[in-house]
Amino acid sequence: MVATLGKNSEFAEVNINNKDSLEAALSDVDLVVHAAGPFQQSQKCTVLEAAIETQTAYLDVCDDTNYAFRAKSFKDRAVDANISAITTGGIYPGVSNVTAAELVHAARSESKTEPDRLRFSYYTAGSGGAGPTILATSFLLLGEEVVAYNKGQKIKLKPFTGMLNVDFGKGIGKRDVYLLNLPEVRSAHEVLEVPTVSARFGTAPFFWNWGMEAMTNLLPAEFLRDRSKVQQLVEWFDPLVRAVDGIAGERVSMRVDLECTNGRSTLALFSHRRLSVAVGNATAASAVAILEGSTQPGVWFPEEPEGIAVEAREELLKRAAEGAIAFVMNKPPWMVETDPKELGLGIYV
């Protein structure tokens, strides 16, 4: 990797569970990007703690609710150290949070209406080229009850149920997606004050979805929450997943739908041919925003105005969408769906 990046880079070996090791690596550093997942079932935020101790700005690509809110508990310490930190700052969650914030902002400022329902839908072909890490994350998430919100009430649901067939537009098409426990559901509910929020994920080929469903039904939740047991599963499945990846590709798409109290429906849609490139662009966009001073001292979610400033969101999304095959913001659903039906007089459904 150093050879690829060139002479401005160097390699440093650290023990992610050892604060002293991390602090040594972070001395005289502007920003640390924590991408060493999976974050599920991690009990400590050692990288964030080391960042606070060394007064280093921090960004992670966490996709776990417990870890994200544990990171948030360090807010006061980060303020005291005068460092800016963002958790869940990858692609989804991350860019998806910022698109949701922009949809809600537009609804309130342009249409003078209130958000009623927010739905995150994600699709990745195969493992998206991410291999063992995304596999471990997916298996660990199958062991977590799904937290969603319905009319302001917190509800708990079985993981990988509640299937919806979602249209991700040209280049991706219609895909089945299933409920998962993801941090942007709770953060969007609390930060953006949307009463009904849920998140779903699906993959391809279709038999991977069937396999995930079967694992949820056949394996005890305790097994799926055990990192060492899940790691064994990953080692068994990894060669097969990589073989299928060669055929399935690594396309990625995310669709964020907002319904408002006045009946107005809008969406944001992002699609890319390669998940690995898209995640890199999304994370880099957040990193640049922090380095440019768009983030206040403390620990924030991307959709918080202190995290990514409202005026910096548009530029962040533009940078994240570099190379995308589709990027649409704040449009009615029929404008992006693959087969909108005209009722007549220019009215589509």
Side-chain angles (χ1 to χ4, degrees):
M1 182 55 73
V2 168
T4 305
L5 294 173
K7 63 179 186 295
N8 287 337
S9 61
E10 61 181 78
F11 174 77
E13 184 176 339
V14 297
N15 178 345
I16 200 167
N17 297 312
N18 184 304
K19 203 154 145 284
D20 293 339
S21 167
L22 287 164
E23 285 177 19
L26 295 187
S27 63
D28 197 30
V29 168
D30 294 319
L31 169 75
V32 58
V33 180
H34 180 10
F39 292 86
Q40 284 72 20
Q41 307 302 320
S42 291
Q43 302 307 315
K44 291 182 178 177
C45 298
T46 45
V47 182
L48 176 56
E49 289 184 67
I52 291 169
E53 288 297 324
T54 55
Q55 293 186 296
T56 306
Y58 169 94
L59 169 68
D60 70 41
V61 297
C62 163
D63 52 3
D64 180 68
T65 306
N66 290 334
Y67 191 98
F69 279 87
R70 187 178 298 117
K72 283 285 287 178
S73 71
F74 286 86
K75 177 187 163 188
D76 290 344
R77 284 177 57 183
V79 169
D80 290 343
N82 196 34
I83 70 130
S84 303
I86 288 180
T87 185
T88 67
I91 186 167
Y92 57 78
V95 170
S96 58
N97 306 45
V98 177
T99 57
E102 281 291 84
L103 290 177
V104 169
H105 179 72
R108 286 179 171 143
S109 60
E110 295 168 19
S111 302
K112 309 299 181 197
T113 185
E114 278 301 306
D116 185 43
R117 178 193 297 269
L118 186 62
R119 192 165 63 227
F120 296 96
S121 302
Y122 306 132
Y123 164 78
T124 300
S127 76
T133 306
I134 200 167
L135 210 53
T137 295
S138 302
F139 291 165
L140 287 162
L141 280 169
L142 295 179
E144 295 184 11
E145 267 190 319
V146 172
V147 171
Y149 295 86
N150 184 33
K151 297 177 182 175
Q153 296 299 308
K154 178 179 175 179
I155 54 173
K156 292 190 175 182
L157 303 159
K158 188 176 178 180
F160 232 70
T161 58
M163 188 269 282
L164 288 179
N165 187 253
V166 172
D167 194 335
F168 289 96
K170 289 178 182 173
I172 306 291
K174 292 181 178 179
R175 302 288 175 174
D176 292 342
V177 291
Y178 304 78
L179 287 164
L180 275 182
N181 189 40
L182 294 171
E184 57 267 47
V185 171
R186 180 176 163 189
S187 65
H189 172 71
E190 293 182 2
V191 173
L192 303 177
E193 298 179 336
V194 183
T196 301
V197 191
S198 62
R200 287 173 172 82
F201 169 81
T203 185
F206 62 89
F207 52 75
W208 285 150
N209 289 328
W210 291 357
M212 302 259 278
E213 222 173 342
M215 285 176 71
T216 308
N217 291 322
L218 298 175
L219 296 174
E222 297 75 35
F223 181 97
L224 291 165
R225 284 196 287 264
D226 187 317
R227 282 174 70 115
S228 59
K229 289 190 172 76
V230 163
Q231 196 54 47
Q232 279 184 310
L233 273 182
V234 168
E235 285 168 17
W236 294 339
F237 279 100
D238 189 46
L240 177 61
V241 170
R242 287 186 185 275
V244 174
D245 275 1
I247 303 160
E250 54 169 298
R251 291 195 174 211
V252 61
S253 188
M254 57 185 182
R255 174 172 164 163
V256 183
D257 285 87
L258 179 69
E259 295 171 18
C260 296
T261 50
N262 68 350
R264 177 181 188 261
S265 292
T266 54
L267 62 72
L269 180 73
F270 172 101
S271 302
H272 199 287
R273 285 187 179 87
R274 296 186 62 198
L275 173 73
S276 52
V277 174
V279 172
N281 289 344
T283 309
S286 296
V288 171
I290 294 171
L291 292 170
E292 287 177 341
S294 298
T295 307
Q296 299 298 312
V299 183
W300 311 102
F301 291 115
E303 66 267 43
E304 291 184 278
E306 301 92 343
I308 301 296
V310 175
E311 59 274 14
R313 287 175 183 163
E314 188 179 345
E315 186 61 31
L316 182 146
L317 293 174
K318 184 176 156 192
R319 286 167 173 160
E322 185 182 324
I325 56 174
F327 178 58
V328 174
M329 275 297 300
N330 204 30
K331 300 292 183 189
W334 64 264
M335 286 188 72
V336 301
E337 291 176 347
T338 45
D339 56 350
K341 295 178 177 58
E342 187 175 6
L343 297 179
L345 302 173
I347 298 169
Y348 289 84
V349 293

